[in-house]
Amino acid sequence: MANELTNRFNNWMKQDDFFGNLGRSFFDFDNSVNRALKTDVKENDKAYAVQIDVPGIDKKDITIDYRDGVLSVSAKRDSFSDKSDDEGNVIASERSYGRFARQYSLPNVDENGIKATCDNGVLKLTLPKLAEEKVNGKHIEIE
C-alpha cells in the first residue's frame, strides 16, 4: 500500500507533468531578453570584444548606442512563420518576436573607434579602450 501511494505521488510530480514544471516556468526569469540576446564579452588591455547572438534579425533592425560608459543594443523581430498541422494548430513554438534590448557597462571606451559587424546571426563589436582612463571627479584629502 505504501509503495502504491509513493508511486502515485511520484507519477503525479513527474517533470513532464504540469505540476512538475509549474515552478520552473513560473519562476523562469530568464525567458525572453537574455534568451534572445545571448552575449559573450571579452576584455584585454586594448579593447572589449562583444559577440551577441541575433539569429533571424536583419542588421537594419539592430540599434547600437554607446553613452556614458554603457553600450546599449536593441533589436526587433516583427514576425515569423510557424508550421502548423492540418487544422491550423501550431505544434510547438519556441521562437520569440518583438523588441529585445540589453545594456553592458563597458567604461573607458574610445567612442570614435567602435566597430560593428553582423554575419551569420552574430553581432560582433570591438570597443577600443582609451589610452588613459578618463577621471571623473577629484579626490579630496582631509586636512
Side-chain angles (χ1 to χ4, degrees):
M1 180 74 170
N3 285 338
E4 184 179 351
L5 288 174
T6 302
N7 289 338
R8 279 189 195 173
F9 179 78
N10 288 338
N11 288 339
W12 179 62
M13 294 298 285
K14 285 191 311 192
Q15 282 295 356
D16 59 350
D17 186 74
F18 171 77
F19 293 103
N21 286 326
L22 180 63
R24 183 180 305 157
S25 62
F26 184 75
F27 293 105
D28 186 10
F29 297 113
D30 184 29
N31 67 354
S32 60
V33 173
N34 292 337
R35 195 175 294 166
L37 297 177
K38 294 287 189 185
T39 305
D40 292 335
V41 179
K42 296 178 182 176
E43 177 185 13
N44 61 37
D45 292 339
K46 297 182 181 182
Y48 297 101
V50 180
Q51 291 187 356
I52 305 170
D53 287 347
V54 290
I57 299 175
D58 194 299
K59 68 180 183 179
K60 70 177 177 52
D61 294 325
I62 300 171
T63 304
I64 306 165
D65 294 305
Y66 183 83
R67 181 171 294 131
D68 297 327
V70 176
L71 174 69
S72 300
V73 178
S74 62
K76 68 175 183 170
R77 183 178 319 150
D78 290 328
S79 64
F80 53 85
S81 176
D82 272 329
K83 301 287 184 198
S84 58
D85 64 10
D86 294 338
E87 297 174 8
N89 297 315
V90 174
I91 303 302
S93 180
E94 294 180 345
R95 296 178 297 157
S96 49
Y97 63 94
R99 293 195 159 284
F100 312 99
R102 296 237 1 226
Q103 292 185 321
Y104 312 86
S105 178
L106 302 171
N108 192 34
V109 169
D110 177 6
E111 296 175 16
N112 297 320
I114 298 173
K115 305 272 188 226
T117 61
C118 190
D119 190 36
N120 291 327
V122 179
L123 175 64
K124 296 178 182 180
L125 297 135
T126 302
L127 297 91
K129 292 182 178 180
L130 293 170
E132 291 184 24
E133 188 171 341
K134 287 183 182 178
V135 177
N136 293 331
K138 178 183 174 186
H139 178 72
I140 301 170
E141 292 291 330
I142 300 173
E143 295 179 16

